[in-house]
């Protein structure tokens, strides 16, 4: 260590008349203190783990028992290795054994110093007294049926008044307000501010719960607090508080600590939430903004159906009216026709008779016209035939004699008699067969010679 | 004679029951299976329930009212004294 101020002009003088050595520069003293503490014998300590905090490089926690506490620190990499070896993750309230020795961070001009027990190894020894006590109480409440009582209460979906128990300066208050605003809820919020951490907290929270529930206006109560160690949240494991909550007729929503924390209040409350935001959503069961939009849509759908139904009803009424009108017209028409028929059957018969007479006259006239026409046509045809016959007869009279004469002349031209008259002789056999050649005549020997005036026998004699 | 909750003369349904009934009514109407008379009756009931729900939403739609517990207690005591 440097010389005290008296020997070094750069160091100011110490306290006058003080018998103690120094003054020494604090950094040097802190470093010496660290060195001395590190020389302490390394040992094992037994206690309950509380206030566990994870930093980037170091893990901090406290080891407590009824007689006192020691802050502990361990390098993060060593912590991970210890967990791997332990096979179980140490949790708040657990009884653990740590091995290590004293250490001291001397700090600097810009950082605070700190004492810690530097942990080099760790073993989980079992549930700590605190956890064991909480667990016993939980089982007792369960046996008494107090864990389900709140959960059986009907929670209003849209409360008008919400009671909130929280710390006045805590962040939970802002989170709750923001979540309710996002939900579109703007009813009445009754704040019951109370300490949420120390040994006085539980009785005050219990009293606030009773008063909120006693107003009868508060429809649901939220108990909210941010995260913390088991020691911080211990007040929410208070037996009186938990029994009071369990017997309230107003639903209580617990929002204590983070999702890894579990207090007895979480067990007895109607709902256990991990954040104030979730608690607000549990308290106001509907998103009011969306509900208003849904209502508008539902009203629109109903109006649409109503319009359609009224249209149908209107068309039905119109159809009924038209049917009535058609019926009336049909009855009137039938009545008119019946009246007409009943009034004038004679006229009807007369009309029919006239009609028949007219038709008869037309038929007769038609027949006459047909006969006249056919008669005229027959006369014309007779005249034509007569004329044609006369013409044919006259023609025959003139033409036929000439024709006969011509035929007679032609026939006379072929008459052998006329040839014989001109001096020719026709030779023929005695049988009358013509002999046209001398040879035929020679062979015949006997022959007939026909002259124009007679026929003479003749004989062929050769000389 | 008891009157059904939610009927025109009966006690009002809770918000969730009323909203659920409106959804049920719209599903029935959308199915197209309701007769004309039923449609008109359902529309009438649905409108009444929507008005009820809208009233409840309107009650929490104004400005958020924040009170401390002591203020609420003293207000209630004053009201009780006034009566």
């Amino acid at each position: 260590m440097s010389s005290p101020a008296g020997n070094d002009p750069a160091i100011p003088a110490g306290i006058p008349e003080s018998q103690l050595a120094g003054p020494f520069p604090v950094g040097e003293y802190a470093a010496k203190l660290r060195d001395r503490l590190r020389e302490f014998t390394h040992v094992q300590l037994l206690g309950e783990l509380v206030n566990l905090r994870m930093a980037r490089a170091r893990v901090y926690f406290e080891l407590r028992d009824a007689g006192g506490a020691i802050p502990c620190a361990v390098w993060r990499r060593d912590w991970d290795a210890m967990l791997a070896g332990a096979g179980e993750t140490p949790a708040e309230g657990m009884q653990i054994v740590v091995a290590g020795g004293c250490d001291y961070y001397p700090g600097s001009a810009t950082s605070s110093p700190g004492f810690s027990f530097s942990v080099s190894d760790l073993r989980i020894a079992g549930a700590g007294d605190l956890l064991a006590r909480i667990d016993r109480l939980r089982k007792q409440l369960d046996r008494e049926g107090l864990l389900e009582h709140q959960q059986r209460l009907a929670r209003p979906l849209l409360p008008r008044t919400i009671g909130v128990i929280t710390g006045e300066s805590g962040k939970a208050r802002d989170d709750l307000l923001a979540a309710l605003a996002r939900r579109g809820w703007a009813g009445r919020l009754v704040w019951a501010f109370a300490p949420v951490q120390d040994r006085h907290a539980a009785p005050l929270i219990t009293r606030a719960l009773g008063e909120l529930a006693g107003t009868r206006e508060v429809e649901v109560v939220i108990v909210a607090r941010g995260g913390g160690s088991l020691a911080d949240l211990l007040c929410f494991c208070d037996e009186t508080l938990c029994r009071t909550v369990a017997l309230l007729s107003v639903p209580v929503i617990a929002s204590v600590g983070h999702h890894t924390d579990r207090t007895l209040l979480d067990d007895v409350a109607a709902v256990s939430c991990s954040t104030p935001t979730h608690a607000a959503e549990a308290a106001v069961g509907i998103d009011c903004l969306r509900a208003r939009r849904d209502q508008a849509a539902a009203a629109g759908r109903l109006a649409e159906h109503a319009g359609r139904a009224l249209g149908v009803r209107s068309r039905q009424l119109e159809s009924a009216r038209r049917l009535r009108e058609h019926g009336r017209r049909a009855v009137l028409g039938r009545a008119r026709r019946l009246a007409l028929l009943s009034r004038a059957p004679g006229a009807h018969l007369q009309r029919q008779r006239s009609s028949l007479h007219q038709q008869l006259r037309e038929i007769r006239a038609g027949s006459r016209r047909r006969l006249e026409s056919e008669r005229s046509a027959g006369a014309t045809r007779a005249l034509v035939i007569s004329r044609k016959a006369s013409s044919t007869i006259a023609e025959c009279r003139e033409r036929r004699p000439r024709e006969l004469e011509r035929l007679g002349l032609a026939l006379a031209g072929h008459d052998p008699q006329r040839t014989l008259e001109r001096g020719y002789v026709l030779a023929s056999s005695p049988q009358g067969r013509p002999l046209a050649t001398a040879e035929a005549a020679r062979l015949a020997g006997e022959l007939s010679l026909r002259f124009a005036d007679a026929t003479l026998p003749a004989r062929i004699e050769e000389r | 004679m008891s009157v059904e909750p939610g009927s025109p003369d009966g006690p009002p349904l809770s918000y969730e029951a009323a909203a659920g009934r409106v959804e049920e009514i719209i599903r029935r109407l959308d199915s197209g299976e309701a007769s004309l008379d039923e449609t008109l009756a359902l529309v009438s009931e649905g409108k009444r329930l929507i008005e009820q729900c809208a009233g409840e939403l309107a009650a929490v739609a104004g400005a958020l009212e924040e009170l401390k517990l002591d203020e609420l207690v003293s207000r209630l005591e004053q009201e009780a004294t006034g009566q």
Side-chain angles (χ1 to χ4, degrees):
Chain A
M1 197 172 306
S2 303
S3 302
N7 301 332
D8 188 347
I11 298 177
I15 300 169
E17 299 173 3
S18 173
Q19 301 300 311
L20 302 179
F24 305 105
V26 69
E28 288 185 19
Y29 187 83
K32 287 288 183 189
L33 177 61
R34 178 192 60 197
D35 295 342
R36 291 291 297 274
L37 285 171
R38 284 180 175 176
E39 288 170 5
F40 275 38
T41 306
H42 282 214
V43 294
Q44 296 183 48
L45 300 178
L46 172 66
E48 284 181 16
L49 186 154
V50 292
N51 284 340
L52 180 64
R53 306 181 304 281
M54 300 285 186
R56 193 170 57 183
R58 304 271 276 173
V59 177
Y60 301 98
F61 58 91
E62 290 173 25
L63 213 55
R64 292 186 182 184
D65 65 14
I70 287 283
C72 300
V74 57
W75 291 105
R76 186 69 184 256
R77 62 175 182 279
D78 294 339
W79 175 262
D80 293 338
M82 289 173 205
L83 296 196
E88 188 180 0
T89 303
E92 292 266 343
M94 278 185 168
Q95 190 86 2
I96 62 170
V97 176
V98 297
C102 293
D103 198 359
Y104 181 76
Y105 173 63
S108 69
T110 56
S111 60
S112 300
F115 168 82
S116 65
F117 186 84
S118 180
V119 175
S120 57
D121 205 354
L122 177 148
R123 186 181 75 80
I124 297 170
D129 282 348
L130 189 57
L131 283 183
R133 188 158 47 84
I134 292 172
D135 192 50
R136 280 197 299 275
L137 182 53
R138 180 180 286 114
K139 286 175 179 166
Q140 177 63 30
L141 295 174
D142 191 17
R143 278 195 297 275
E144 294 176 29
L146 297 178
L147 300 189
E148 290 86 26
H149 182 265
Q150 274 271 321
Q151 289 166 13
R152 285 198 294 266
L153 293 177
R155 278 190 296 126
L157 203 62
L158 188 62
R160 294 191 181 192
T161 304
I162 300 174
V164 183
I165 298 173
T166 189
E168 189 163 10
S169 58
K171 188 173 176 294
R173 179 183 181 182
D174 297 334
D175 290 348
L176 263 175
L177 285 171
L180 290 172
R182 279 196 301 274
R183 212 82 170 136
W185 186 89
R188 177 187 286 173
L189 209 51
V190 182
W191 295 104
F193 295 119
V196 287
Q197 181 154 331
D198 56 35
R199 62 194 175 89
H200 303 295
L204 293 174
I205 293 170
T206 305
R207 193 175 75 187
L209 271 169
E211 289 177 351
L212 281 173
T215 63
R216 297 186 180 279
E217 293 215 342
V218 174
E219 296 166 78
V220 60
V221 177
I222 298 173
V223 180
R225 187 207 186 280
S229 67
L230 180 62
D232 293 338
L233 304 180
L234 202 55
C235 58
F236 296 102
C237 296
D238 181 80
E239 183 173 358
T240 306
L241 169 65
C242 292
R243 286 183 179 278
T244 302
V245 168
L247 295 174
L248 285 179
S249 57
V250 176
V252 174
I253 296 171
S255 172
V256 175
H258 297 309
H259 66 279
T260 52
D261 304 320
R262 185 79 185 178
T263 67
L264 271 186
L265 180 66
D266 291 303
D267 293 327
V268 296
V271 186
S272 168
C273 299
S274 56
T275 63
T277 302
H278 291 162
E281 291 171 357
V284 181
I286 60 167
D287 182 335
C288 300
L289 299 174
R290 196 169 62 189
R292 287 181 193 111
R293 287 196 299 271
D294 291 347
Q295 274 185 6
R301 297 285 299 146
L302 282 179
E304 197 178 306
H305 282 292
R308 211 176 294 150
L310 289 174
V312 170
R313 171 58 57 89
S314 172
R315 283 194 294 278
Q316 282 184 347
L317 291 174
E318 174 62 15
S319 298
R321 191 190 63 73
R322 289 175 65 185
L323 277 174
R324 280 199 303 277
E325 181 65 20
H326 281 304
R328 195 176 66 81
R329 277 189 204 153
V331 169
L332 282 177
R334 182 68 55 85
R336 278 198 201 100
R337 186 166 180 78
L338 287 172
L340 194 64
L341 289 173
S342 66
R343 262 201 322 269
H348 182 68
L349 287 173
Q350 186 58 42
R351 274 200 303 279
Q352 294 292 328
R353 188 180 291 134
S354 297
S355 173
L356 288 171
H357 285 165
Q358 178 63 25
Q359 287 174 0
L360 187 59
R361 280 196 295 275
E362 286 176 0
I363 289 168
R364 282 176 178 164
S367 300
R368 276 200 303 275
R369 280 197 299 275
R370 181 71 181 269
L371 282 173
E372 286 294 330
S373 170
E374 290 193 353
R375 187 181 293 147
S376 172
T380 303
R381 280 198 299 272
L383 183 61
V384 169
I385 291 168
S386 170
R387 284 179 182 168
K388 278 189 178 175
S390 300
S391 170
T392 304
I393 291 167
E395 186 183 343
C396 286
R397 279 178 185 162
E398 290 177 2
R399 187 171 52 81
R400 283 186 179 175
R402 285 198 300 272
E403 187 72 15
L404 285 173
E405 187 180 0
R406 187 179 59 81
L407 290 172
L409 287 175
L411 190 59
H414 292 284
D415 188 359
Q417 186 62 32
R418 290 189 64 181
T419 304
L420 294 179
E421 284 175 352
R422 287 202 312 268
Y424 288 92
V425 174
L426 178 61
S428 61
S429 68
Q431 293 83 20
R433 184 169 50 91
L435 301 171
T437 63
E439 184 64 26
R442 192 179 295 123
L443 288 173
E446 296 286 334
L447 50 85
S448 293
L449 295 175
R450 182 181 170 184
F451 295 94
D453 56 347
T455 301
L456 295 175
R459 184 185 294 148
I460 298 297
E461 289 181 358
E462 296 278 350
R463 290 180 189 168
Chain B
M1 195 173 86
S2 66
V3 186
E4 283 290 314
S7 64
D9 300 326
L13 291 175
S14 65
Y15 179 89
E16 48 269 47
R21 175 64 184 148
V22 169
E23 283 181 17
E24 192 181 318
I25 285 171
I26 288 179
R27 273 199 303 276
R28 173 70 179 157
L29 292 175
D30 285 344
S31 74
E33 293 172 354
S35 67
L36 181 60
D37 286 342
E38 187 188 359
T39 297
L40 291 171
L42 289 175
V43 166
S44 171
E45 183 188 357
K47 283 183 174 175
R48 184 168 47 74
L49 292 174
I50 283 180
E51 281 174 15
Q52 178 198 325
C53 291
E56 294 199 31
L57 277 175
V60 295
L64 181 71
E65 182 188 5
E66 290 187 78
L67 287 175
K68 287 187 178 176
L69 177 58
D70 295 342
E71 294 167 343
L72 177 64
V73 170
S74 60
R75 183 188 293 186
L76 293 174
E77 284 173 351
Q78 282 173 5
E79 286 175 5
T81 307
Q83 287 174 352

